[in-house]
Amino acid sequence: MQLGISTAAFYGRMETDEAAEYISGLPIDCAEAFLQTRSEYEPAFAQTMRERFGSLRCTSVHPMGLHFETSMTSASARQRADAFDMFRRVLDAGQALGAHTYVYHGLCSARLSPLPWNLQRNLDALGPMCEEAAQRGMVIGWENVFWCQLTTPERVLEAVAAFEPVRFTLDIKQAMHAGCDPLALVQAMGTRIANVHVCDWRDARHLCLPGEGCFDFPALMRALRGAGYDGPVILEPYLSLISGEDALLRSIAYLRRVLHETV
């Protein structure tokens, strides 16, 4: 597995290209590009990002999906067309970056009034998305997100049974927020995991950098290896969790040690 970090970790402190340049100097193997606004959904900006990353490989691209992803299943044909146009722009940027995975949230739900699970409605968008991604040498990594549709191992298994091409981004903090065991999600996603997001927590209300909390990372790495996963493990903390560069470097060193010790 390769250890990486998302530019989203510096959202609010640095612009996306500035974050790319900063993390290019960190002791990591790869990166995820969090493209946060429409002007960044372009191959020209992706080329700038690629230059800022230097020799660091960009393995995944993650847009600000709330801009358009829910509209991809809209009842309005025009709204769907505009949303898919935005999606294709992100794919083109991802291809220019050399990324393999597009991180997809899908339909979002208000926390207190969640949308009922509608697998077919999700697949109506996901099918064409996967075709578009494949044309660019990419896959869609449908992410488990507690405020969206894909939340539980049971829903993952339904998606797997209904749609063979489905691939996933596993996010362990999102699993915790949804009240799910991240290892149960690993088992459900199995060989279809394309990308992994990691963070840590002291309890359900207090997230922290890996190594500062209580999550069992050795167990996660063993489960991932058992599922045949050998791809990126992307550190994706919120900016407020990074007290300084020393803390970030300690967390990276901790994850590196866990990866080496669980081979």
Side-chain angles (χ1 to χ4, degrees), residues 20 22 109 129 137 139 156 164 201 241:
Y22 173 73
S109 302
M129 289 175 69
V139 300
V156 167
E164 194 283 331
W201 53 87
L241 306 183

Side-chain angles (χ1 to χ4, degrees), residues 12-253:
R13 180 179 297 168
M14 302 177 189
E15 295 292 352
T16 309
D17 48 339
E18 295 171 341
E21 185 170 9
Y22 173 73
I23 68 177
S24 70
L26 295 175
I28 53 177
D29 309 312
C30 60
E32 179 170 287
F34 176 63
L35 304 180
Q36 60 196 37
T37 191
R38 182 172 181 171
S39 63
E40 297 182 354
Y41 304 161
E42 301 289 346
F45 183 79
Q47 185 57 43
T48 297
M49 287 285 289
R50 195 160 191 172
E51 292 168 2
R52 297 292 182 92
F53 277 134
S55 61
L56 193 65
R57 188 165 62 100
C58 179
T59 54
S60 51
V61 61
H62 188 342
M64 182 75 81
L66 287 172
H67 286 169
F68 60 89
E69 285 183 353
T70 293
S71 295
M72 295 173 81
T73 58
S74 171
S76 163
R78 184 174 297 148
Q79 194 174 5
R80 290 196 307 274
D82 284 352
F84 266 89
D85 177 69
M86 192 90 72
F87 164 70
R88 292 185 192 98
R89 291 173 184 267
V90 178
L91 280 184
D92 289 341
Q95 183 181 34
L97 277 163
H100 178 258
T101 303
Y102 171 108
V103 179
Y104 176 59
H105 281 180
L107 293 171
C108 62
S109 302
R111 200 179 309 182
L112 298 179
S113 56
L115 290 172
W117 171 237
N118 186 333
L119 177 59
Q120 188 55 54
R121 186 181 176 198
N122 283 280
L123 296 185
D124 286 345
L126 196 61
M129 289 175 69
C130 288
E131 292 176 6
E132 293 274 3
Q135 292 171 15
R136 297 161 174 84
M138 299 173 66
V139 300
I140 304 299
W142 193 5
E143 185 175 24
N144 62 289
V145 178
F146 81 102
W147 46 268
C148 292
Q149 287 270 284
L150 192 72
T151 52
T152 66
E154 292 76 20
R155 291 184 176 185
V156 167
L157 289 172
E158 285 185 50
V160 168
F163 188 55
E164 194 283 331
V166 69
R167 298 295 182 268
F168 300 103
T169 291
L170 169 71
D171 190 309
I172 65 170
K173 71 177 178 298
Q174 294 288 347
M176 181 274 291
H177 284 315
C180 298
D181 178 1
L183 302 191
L185 278 167
V186 173
Q187 184 175 11
M189 293 176 178
T191 58
R192 291 176 171 82
I193 300 174
N195 191 37
V196 175
H197 286 164
V198 296
C199 196
D200 203 348
W201 53 87
R202 297 185 180 92
D203 56 54
R205 293 187 177 183
H206 297 94
L207 296 173
C208 56
L209 292 173
E212 296 179 353
C214 61
F215 183 70
D216 190 343
F217 280 96
L220 173 67
M221 301 310 173
R222 287 192 294 269
L224 288 171
R225 293 188 192 282
Y229 185 71
D230 192 33
V233 175
I234 302 293
L235 176 57
E236 192 197 37
Y238 300 117
L239 177 62
S240 61
L241 306 183
I242 304 174
S243 59
E245 187 172 280
D246 288 348
L248 181 60
L249 290 173
R250 283 195 300 272
S251 185
I252 291 171

